[in-house]
Amino acid sequence: MKHRWAYGAIGVLTAAALTGCSANPAQVDAAKVADVQKTSKVAEQLRQAMDQLRFQEVLDTAPPTTAQLRTTRNPVDKEAQRTRPFAAADPKPIVQQPQMDATIIELDGRGRPVSSGTVLMSPTYKNGVVVPVDGNLSTTSVRWRQWDDAGWYKNKGQGSIDVVPGREGAPLDHMLDYPASVLKLMVNFGVLRLVDKGEIKLDDTYAYKPTEISPLCGEATSNTVRKYMDASLTVSSNGASCALIKLLHDHKAIDPLNQTFQDLGLQTLQLKGTRASNGGRWSNEITMSSLDTAKLLTLVNGAPGTVWTAPDGKPVKSDDVLSPASRKFFRAELAQQGFNDMLSSTNWCGGKYPAAGLPNAAPSRWIGADGTVTVDGNKFGRDVRPCNKKAEVAFAHKTGWVNNSAGDAGIVRALRGEGGRNYVIVVFSNLGTQYIDAGRPETPPGIYPFSYTEKFAKLGRAMDAYEKRRAAGH
């Protein structure tokens, strides 16, 4: 069945467009349309910024060929197969509009959501499309599909496996990007749920003993839960994250975790397909949308009272989801993020490339005597102290990448005297390390290579500038 829909002047789906789908189970009622209109300002700002940055101008260092497409498979343990094709003899322009999924949730001074915007971009939505979002920060207007490595080329960005059932009539259709290491947000959330239930303690020692060794996860290790979580969140350790996933399996907590996400109205957050034997097998079955990821971080950030209402009508409250102590620990770990190189580019301070991103400071634990950042042996080679002195915001976040995936998800809060903005920002894309900017400089020997197109940093900078103006009342 074909649906008639169109855009209003501000780029959102209009009420008439939505009600034009008479048999559409994702139909939005008048009250929800009003919510869409309320939140459309930040949404349209986000859409315009994404469109104006022309992500379709990146170069592909591994351009597709007929032979490649015939043999492309959806790998398991995707993170273990990460490659950095930072150079190619003859990189080509990307063959079609990149896949992107971005959300901003604006917060008041107490962390309560006041507005939001979600934008999708793909070969189908080349200039970006604003997603209708209701008063519960939810949408039924998108048919979410699972990422398909080959399908993005073969089917023009159109997925074939539904993530959320019953969305066949939705007016929008989008294949979710593989979340890469941003999936570790779900893992650590699940572990903290076990802490809050009293099943484990942060300072308990966990002996990770895989019964099956995988390249992703490595050999047996032993450490405290706290240290595994720190390594998972701040340096993106796959081995530590495998240990935490196996810990969840040991406590038979994976299925309950996925059910918790459903109960909270975070339907696209699904930590599926991992192995109980080692915590590995990170595949396309693991899904996250930017909207649901931003909602999860809104709960982690904390807000008084009911933050939104769940699908079953129950109020969702920060303190009911994670204890104040667990939320404080989670935020503190995200604030120690070592890789400030996607929406933020502080690790690359002072050079002509990449462009300046979110104006946050690099945590002092990674900064050497010469002012340069080294994260888990990865040296960035730029003095970040000038950028730290000019920092305007704190950015508690998690990044991730594989060759065809890039993600950054975090909580932004203005430093004292720097404008008062407070928001959550999440961006997922298929523009991983395989894709580069034209004219990107080479990195010197021994220096950590650039991981992302600088367009992500420009997007972070543009949206933070908008949020600064909004906070100032302009």
Side-chain angles (χ1 to χ4, degrees):
M1 176 181 178
K2 293 184 177 180
H3 301 291
R4 295 181 295 106
W5 55 282
Y7 295 104
I10 55 175
V12 302
L13 291 174
T14 64
L18 289 164
T19 55
C21 304
S22 58
N24 180 8
Q27 194 170 23
V28 178
D29 63 27
K32 292 180 179 179
V33 169
D35 284 321
V36 173
Q37 301 300 333
K38 279 196 305 183
T39 64
S40 62
K41 188 172 182 180
V42 64
E44 181 58 13
Q45 285 287 331
L46 180 58
R47 190 203 65 77
Q48 287 183 18
M50 290 166 62
D51 187 31
Q52 291 168 4
L53 283 168
R54 299 186 64 81
F55 283 87
Q56 69 273 22
E57 293 180 349
V58 298
L59 302 180
D60 189 346
T61 64
T65 65
T66 302
Q68 284 176 321
L69 289 180
R70 280 199 302 267
T71 59
T72 299
R73 297 288 185 272
N74 289 317
V76 298
D77 280 350
K78 292 173 72 81
E79 308 277 332
Q81 300 180 20
R82 296 193 300 181
T83 57
R84 287 183 173 273
F86 289 123
D90 188 22
K92 301 292 186 184
I94 193 169
V95 297
Q96 58 190 5
Q97 188 73 28
Q99 205 85 355
M100 293 188 67
D101 173 13
T103 291
I104 287 181
I105 297 178
E106 297 173 332
L107 309 172
D108 68 12
R110 301 181 69 190
R112 296 173 296 195
V114 294
S115 58
S116 74
T118 296
V119 176
L120 305 176
M121 185 174 277
S122 69
T124 302
Y125 314 119
K126 294 182 179 181
N127 301 113
V129 60
V130 172
V131 175
V133 176
D134 65 27
N136 291 314
L137 298 174
S138 183
T139 183
T140 55
S141 296
V142 185
R143 184 177 185 181
W144 301 111
R145 312 284 194 119
Q146 194 179 105
W147 178 258
D148 182 340
D149 292 68
W152 188 75
Y153 290 108
K154 290 181 178 179
N155 300 327
K156 296 183 178 180
Q158 180 65 63
S160 60
I161 300 175
D162 284 294
V163 173
V164 179
R167 298 286 181 86
E168 292 80 5
L172 301 176
D173 197 322
H174 188 77
M175 184 165 68
L176 292 168
D177 302 285
Y178 173 68
S181 287
V182 181
L183 67 85
K184 294 164 187 174
L185 292 177
M186 295 193 290
V187 175
N188 285 272
F189 174 82
V191 172
L192 288 174
R193 295 270 294 180
L194 291 181
V195 172
D196 286 346
K197 291 177 182 177
E199 294 188 32
I200 60 173
K201 296 178 181 178
L202 284 175
D203 292 314
D204 285 348
T205 296
Y206 177 63
Y208 171 66
K209 297 180 180 179
T211 58
E212 178 184 9
I213 303 300
S214 80
L216 172 71
C217 300
E219 304 283 343
T221 56
S222 181
N223 216 328
T224 64
V225 174
R226 182 188 303 274
K227 289 182 179 179
Y228 276 132
M229 292 184 69
D230 180 73
S232 172
L233 291 172
T234 67
V235 303
S236 204
S237 167
N238 290 337
S241 301
C242 285
L244 295 174
I245 293 174
K246 189 175 186 305
L247 174 64
L248 290 172
H249 277 291
D250 291 351
H251 285 263
K252 301 187 185 307
I254 293 290
D255 289 343
L257 174 61
N258 286 326
Q259 186 59 52
T260 294
F261 291 138
Q262 299 301 301
D263 294 343
L264 293 173
L266 310 176
Q267 293 174 296
T268 66
L269 299 192
Q270 300 184 8
L271 186 66
K272 292 186 174 181
T274 60
R275 290 193 175 101
S277 61
N278 55 23
R281 195 183 183 279
W282 302 357
S283 70
N284 292 331
E285 292 178 71
I286 299 175
T287 58
M288 304 176 79
S289 69
S290 69
L291 177 57
D292 286 346
T293 304
K295 290 173 69 176
L296 179 66
L297 287 173
T298 299
L299 292 176
V300 171
N301 187 50
T306 298
V307 186
W308 65 79
T309 301
D312 62 2
K314 294 181 180 179
V316 176
K317 300 181 180 181
S318 292
D319 286 350
D320 293 343
V321 174
L322 284 179
S323 69
S326 285
R327 288 190 284 106
K328 181 179 180 180
F329 174 73
F330 206 163
R331 292 193 306 268
E333 289 297 317
L334 293 173
Q336 292 297 308
Q337 175 59 239
F339 292 97
N340 293 284
D341 60 346
M342 186 176 158
L343 292 176
S344 161
S345 59
T346 304
N347 286 15
W348 297 114
C349 178
K352 293 182 179 179
Y353 184 95
L358 275 163
N360 70 308
S364 59
R365 69 184 281 188
W366 312 117
I367 303 174
D370 62 354
T372 66
V373 166
T374 301
V375 184
D376 197 29
N378 299 296
K379 187 175 180 62
F380 283 82
R382 303 257 186 96
D383 188 344
V384 301
R385 289 172 293 189
C387 291
N388 277 16
K389 288 180 181 179
K390 296 179 181 178
E392 297 183 20
V393 299
F395 188 27
H397 65 122
K398 182 73 193 75
T399 59
W401 57 261
V402 294
N403 68 305
N404 61 355
S405 176
D408 200 352
I411 303 159
V412 180
R413 179 172 296 173
L415 300 176
R416 187 180 300 274
E418 294 293 344
R421 66 264 203 204
N422 190 14
Y423 61 96
V424 174
I425 184 168
V426 180
V427 176
F428 290 119
S429 175
N430 71 317
L431 296 181
T433 57
Q434 181 174 324
Y435 302 95
I436 66 174
D437 296 309
R440 186 182 72 182
E442 295 294 326
T443 51
I447 298 299
Y448 187 76
F450 301 112
S451 297
Y452 311 94
T453 166
E454 69 171 353
K455 294 178 186 295
F456 290 127
K458 291 180 178 179
L459 178 62
R461 193 76 167 194
M463 293 312 300
D464 185 71
Y466 166 76
E467 290 298 327
K468 183 178 182 179
R469 294 194 300 271
R470 180 188 68 87
H474 298 314

